Structure formats: C-alpha cells, structure tokens
Amino acid sequence: MGLAYDDLERLVGGVSDDIARARDLIENAATAVVLTGAGVSAESGVPTFRDAGGLWKQFRPEDLATPHAFARNPRLVWEWYAWRRTLVAECAPNAAHRALAEWAIRRGTVTIVTQNVDGLHTRAARDAAGSADPSPASPVEVHGSLLRDRCSACDARSEPRPVDATSIATLPRCDRCGGMLRPDVVWFGEMLDEAVLAKADAAAAGADVCLVVGTSALVHPAASLPLHTRAGGGVIVEVNPEETPLTHAAAVSIRGSAADIVPVLTG
Ligand code: OAD
C-alpha cells in the first residue's frame, strides 16, 4: 500500500518540500514521460540487478545475458530465463505500478518507458483500465519482455512456450522456420529495437516532465532518455533510495521507495 500524502509528510518531513515541488511540476505538465528500472518492481519481490542481492551480484551476465552465452550454452541461458519467468509470475504489480497506470489512463498524455522485462507495468495497465482501453498505460519496453519468445534465426515473435531444457533437442523451436527460440529480451552487446527506441526518444524529447523511478541510470541508451527531456526544455523528477548519475540533472530528486513516493506524486 502507498502512504497518504499527510502520512508521508509526517514521516519524511525533510523531503516534504521536494515532494510538493515534484507534485507541482507533475500536475502542471501537459505531457510526461516515465522511465522506470528494476527498483520500481523491487517491492513486488522482483530482484534488481546491481543492489546488494541483485541478479548481477549473484550471476555473471556474460554467462547468461549475451548472444555468445546463448550460442555457447543455450540450455543454461534458457534455464535462467525460465526461472525468472516463474519468479515474475509469482509477483504482482505494486502501488507504484498501479499509480503510474492510473495516472497514464487518467491523463492520456503520459508515456511509460521501462527497462524492465517483467511485464508488471502491462499487468497494472490492464488492471487499471478495467473494461476500458489499457493502451495509454501500456509501457514502451526498451529492453524487451521476458514474457515473449523470439526466433534467433527469423526474428518472429511468439507467445512464450514452456521450456524443457533437458537437452538441446527439447529447447523451444520456431513454428515458422524451426530456428531456436530465445527470450525476446535485449542482451549485452545487442542493439535496442530501433522502432521501440525511437518511440521512447520521441516521448522523452517532447515531455515537460520525465519522472525517473528506480533505475541506477547506468545502462545506455535508456539512461540518456531523461536528458532528452531536459534538452527539450523539460525537467527531470527522480525517485530512488540512492543517488544516481541523473540526480544532479534532476530538478527534484526524492530519496525514497517507489511504492511509497510515486502514488503521492501522481495521485
Ligand atoms: P539496477 O539494479 O541497476 O538499479 C536498480 C535501482 O533501483 C537502484 O538505483 C536502486 O537504488 C533502486 N531501487 C532499489 N529499490 C528501490 C525501490 N524500492 N524503489 C525505488 N528504487 C529502488 O536496475 P536498472 O537500472 O533497471 O538490462 O538496470 C538497467 C538495466 O541493467 C536492466 O534493464 C538490465 C540490466 O542489465 C537488460 O536486461 C538489458
């Protein structure tokens, strides 16, 4: 549950001026873009990458999240992604995902861009829309989705299949060409999908406010998107328990958790 504005003000007195300023910027923005990272899903139970206990503290990306790793050992890579699929299936959107989805649907001029591959923004959009159209809150997923397969030969995308990683022969294959399927996520050393990135770039460049939530802002080009907002005359509002490389570019940077702060900013 997110906190009510009054509770929050009482608890964090020192940052209440920042919260008031951020609310003001957000309320007065005609258009907004949101950039989220793993921190927005932390309170849903999805591990982040670089915090203590994060995925890249336990696993080596070069073994699991590169085209070479997949070519070398597709069973290991699939096992890891199948485990992550199970993990996110057991998680649910939190108060931050819900608040962002409700805000985007209410305003109609908010674009949610996420680096996350966990599908939680999409689930929150569906929940928030009810029988209405969820698309104003459907995220631009710049790093792809765990919940989609892609053919490593012909690039066709498909619904995720059950993964049997007992042997190479049992790994999922493309219906069209028989090529080996892979998760439709962007790996280290790969380019982002051009059309998806262009959509995120355009939203960032044209926004009055970029709300940045729960990203270490270390992985580019996603981490540069807020700077496009600033270059276009807009402002950055950041929510993160820690300082990041974007903190100094932000008009307001609030130290706090996504599920506590975001509902207060967008409500
Ligand atoms: P990181 O793990 O690098 O950063 C997570 C950020 O979330 C940190 O800045 C934390 O301080 C912050 N954080 C932690 N808990 C939070 C909470 N409850 N509320 C708000 N913020 C919180 O994750 P990303 O920045 O998303 O790439 O990482 C970027 C990319 O690196 C990922 O998309 C992934 C990874 O390699 C791909 O998969 C291509």
Side-chain angles (χ1 to χ4, degrees):
M1 277 290 286
L3 295 171
Y5 184 47
D6 288 351
D7 295 339
L8 194 77
E9 215 176 8
R10 188 167 40 73
L11 280 174
V12 293
V15 298
S16 63
D17 284 355
D18 284 347
I19 288 177
R21 272 209 312 141
R23 274 168 61 93
D24 202 44
L25 289 169
I26 284 170
E27 230 164 76
N28 290 315
T31 56
V33 67
V34 181
L35 174 67
T36 67
V40 80
S41 296
E43 287 152 287
S44 293
V46 182
T48 62
F49 292 93
R50 295 174 182 80
D51 294 312
L55 293 173
W56 296 152
K57 302 280 176 182
Q58 306 169 55
F59 303 101
R60 285 160 31 102
E62 54 272 42
D63 291 338
L64 300 165
T66 71
H68 288 307
F70 189 63
R72 203 169 48 232
N73 194 343
R75 288 179 50 229
L76 176 72
V77 172
W78 260 125
E79 265 173 10
W80 193 65
Y81 281 95
W83 167 70
R84 288 180 62 197
R85 278 181 179 171
T86 311
L87 196 151
V88 303
E90 287 163 359
C91 296
N94 65 47
H97 299 105
R98 286 196 295 275
L100 291 171
E102 284 159 14
W103 178 43
I105 287 170
R106 196 168 67 241
R107 291 288 287 269
T109 54
V110 176
T111 305
I112 300 173
V113 177
T114 189
Q115 298 165 83
N116 299 343
V117 296
D118 58 27
L120 292 180
H121 284 300
T122 303
R123 285 165 61 186
R126 283 197 210 111
D127 295 347
S131 54
D133 175 14
S135 58
S138 297
V140 179
E141 295 172 314
V142 287
H143 290 166
S145 173
L146 257 186
L147 311 175
R148 204 165 48 228
D149 289 343
R150 173 154 61 90
C151 178
S152 55
C154 76
D155 257 4
R157 290 174 163 93
S158 50
E159 292 291 307
R161 307 273 179 84
V163 177
D164 176 353
T166 325
S167 71
I168 302 262
T170 60
L171 289 175
R173 293 270 169 184
C174 176
D175 282 340
R176 270 209 219 161
C177 76
M180 197 177 284
L181 292 175
R182 54 168 281 179
D184 190 16
V185 298
V186 176
W187 282 330
F188 287 98
E190 293 186 316
M191 304 290 279
L192 276 59
D193 182 285
E194 242 175 71
V196 173
L197 183 60
K199 201 169 168 188
D201 264 338
D208 297 321
V209 168
C210 179
L211 175 59
V212 186
V213 184
T215 177
S216 59
L218 292 171
V219 176
H220 293 268
S224 311
L225 291 168
L227 301 176
H228 298 185
T229 301
R230 230 172 75 127
V235 294
I236 300 170
V237 172
E238 180 181 59
V239 177
N240 198 308
E242 308 287 337
E243 200 172 301
T244 78
L246 281 176
T247 300
H248 296 290
V252 188
S253 183
I254 298 168
R255 298 280 82 78
S257 91
D260 282 348
I261 306 288
V262 171
V264 180
L265 298 185
T266 59

